[in-house]
Amino acid sequence: MAEGKIPPDIGKMSFEDALEELQRIVSQLETGEGKLDQAIEGYKRGAALKQHCEAKLREAKQQIDKIALGPGGKVETEPFEV
């Protein structure tokens, strides 16, 4: 798996599915069970899943508008800034 490149199967995942798989991988790595090669592959897949989740969060953040009351009580939206 190339550095920074998200595999197509991960790219199709929802945020929730990717996060769930990432949590499973982290649990497996924390137990220390399995062979070294499996741990390395799990780590690489986990890194790609993390990158995918971060991208999904950035996309969602860009779509969020803050609802505000304008002059005269009129409801308006403006970009949300953290």
Side-chain angles (χ1 to χ4, degrees):
M1 175 176 337
E3 189 73 24
K5 184 97 166 143
I6 297 176
D9 66 315
I10 292 176
K12 295 176 185 175
M13 295 175 106
S14 69
F15 173 83
E16 293 79 10
D17 291 341
L19 185 59
E20 186 178 313
E21 184 175 344
L22 179 57
Q23 289 170 332
R24 276 195 308 271
I25 289 171
V26 168
S27 293
Q28 289 172 348
L29 291 172
E30 286 178 342
T31 64
E33 296 177 12
K35 297 182 179 186
L36 179 60
D37 289 343
Q38 291 171 325
I40 291 170
E41 286 305 311
Y43 180 84
K44 288 178 182 178
R45 184 159 178 88
L49 287 162
K50 177 183 175 281
Q51 184 180 2
H52 177 66
C53 286
E54 288 171 342
K56 288 286 190 185
L57 287 173
R58 276 192 305 275
E59 289 171 14
K61 183 179 171 186
Q62 290 173 351
Q63 295 176 17
I64 295 174
D65 287 332
K66 179 171 64 172
I67 298 173
L69 287 179
K74 182 179 176 188
V75 176
E76 300 174 344
T77 60
E78 55 189 56
F80 178 78
E81 294 181 29
V82 179

